[in-house]
Amino acid sequence: MTTTPLFSREPGAHERHLRRRYENPLFSAERRQISEQDVLAARRRDQQQLESFLERFHQVVQRAVELDTNVQSDVILELKEELDRCYEEAAGLTGDQSRIKEAIVRLVDTIMRAVRQGAENDAVALRKLDEEDQARALHFELLEEPLVADLLNPEAVIPEGDLIPTLLGAEPAVLEKVLTLFSDEQLTMIIRDARRLLESNPAAAVGLEQARANLARIQAAATEQAGMHTIN
């Protein structure tokens, strides 16, 4: 008798991917079989990633607090980029990390105000800073989708071989967000591999209308993206 693995209410990236694989016919038979031991191991890895992140994040915050008022701009921008990476990683961690993400946003805002003060007489620089702020806000919003955060996770929790079944099994609204991460060339390869997956195992594809619909969505996104680049 098999038992259903018990997944956490607020899992981290490793455990989330186990849940995607569990009894999912888009994955190979071996990949879709998840044991309780697999879940516990994934939780340990997620906890280790959280602890490692918190240690690094506290170091980054300490550097921000100790910044000299006359520090050079490249040091400030390097710190800002580190905070951006911290937000990206925090978005995929186990548990509720909303307070940490809010703290990162406040720190980035403080840094950007300092950068703006140094460029207050440069209209071109200010316009570029506005564009960067808008792009960051959109990226942070995109990271609220767990699959986006997992695909960008520095620990590569979604192996290359799992990408296609993961995309084909995603909810349509989630897939729409995820596809913005890929280039034209990557989308072309994804479409090729997705076709191969569905054609190579027709028995697994029986009844998986969402998988076939997702392939159509990926094809439409690739066409639209290519058209936009042609116009530009």
Side-chain angles (χ1 to χ4, degrees):
M1 178 179 178
T2 59
T3 57
T4 302
L6 180 63
F7 295 108
S8 306
R9 293 183 62 183
E10 293 183 328
H14 294 92
E15 187 179 351
R16 269 196 302 271
H17 193 53
L18 287 188
R19 190 164 59 184
R20 292 187 194 101
R21 287 165 41 196
Y22 179 62
E23 295 187 345
N24 185 339
L26 289 167
F27 288 86
S28 66
E30 179 181 328
R31 295 293 283 166
R32 68 170 88 100
Q33 292 176 3
I34 308 297
S35 69
E36 198 69 40
Q37 289 70 29
D38 293 329
V39 176
L40 293 175
R43 283 183 195 161
R44 285 194 293 269
R45 294 182 66 184
D46 287 329
Q47 185 61 32
Q48 290 168 356
Q49 185 176 15
L50 172 61
E51 292 170 0
S52 176
F53 167 81
L54 290 174
E55 183 178 348
R56 284 181 284 108
F57 177 59
H58 289 153
Q59 292 173 354
V60 174
V61 171
Q62 190 63 32
R63 286 174 52 198
V65 171
E66 295 174 352
L67 275 181
D68 188 274
T69 53
N70 297 318
V71 68
Q72 294 185 349
S73 60
D74 59 338
V75 175
I76 294 178
L77 292 175
E78 181 182 348
L79 181 60
K80 186 268 299 176
E81 289 174 1
E82 283 193 56
L83 286 167
D84 286 345
R85 288 193 292 271
C86 282
Y87 191 102
E88 197 167 271
E89 186 171 353
L93 293 173
T94 181
D96 180 6
Q97 305 304 328
S98 56
R99 293 182 63 183
I100 284 181
K101 291 188 290 184
E102 290 168 2
I104 293 172
V105 169
R106 288 195 298 270
L107 280 170
V108 171
D109 287 345
T110 299
I111 290 173
M112 294 309 295
R113 281 197 297 271
V115 174
R116 284 179 176 279
Q117 288 178 355
E120 58 184 352
N121 296 319
D122 188 335
V124 174
L126 289 173
R127 185 172 67 251
K128 289 182 178 179
L129 289 173
D130 286 340
E131 293 172 354
E132 182 180 338
D133 286 346
Q134 292 171 4
R136 184 184 307 103
L138 288 173
H139 186 58
F140 284 4
E141 181 180 348
L142 197 61
L143 285 165
E144 293 305 303
E145 171 48 55
L147 180 53
V148 172
D150 292 351
L151 286 167
L152 297 175
N153 192 295
E155 294 196 5
V157 297
I158 300 180
E160 184 178 348
D162 285 358
L163 176 61
I164 301 305
T166 296
L167 296 179
L168 291 179
E171 291 297 322
V174 173
L175 181 66
E176 182 179 348
K177 296 176 182 178
V178 168
L179 292 179
T180 63
L181 301 176
F182 300 104
S183 66
D184 292 356
E185 183 179 356
Q186 289 172 323
L187 287 176
T188 298
M189 291 188 289
I190 286 170
I191 291 168
R192 179 200 64 196
D193 293 344
R195 285 173 175 163
R196 287 177 179 172
L197 175 63
L198 294 178
E199 292 169 0
S200 65
N201 192 0
V206 172
L208 292 181
E209 294 300 328
Q210 179 171 302
R212 287 188 283 270
N214 275 356
L215 174 56
R217 291 184 180 97
I218 297 170
Q219 292 170 320
T223 300
E224 182 179 357
Q225 189 164 302
M228 290 177 62
H229 291 168
T230 301
I231 293 174
N232 293 335

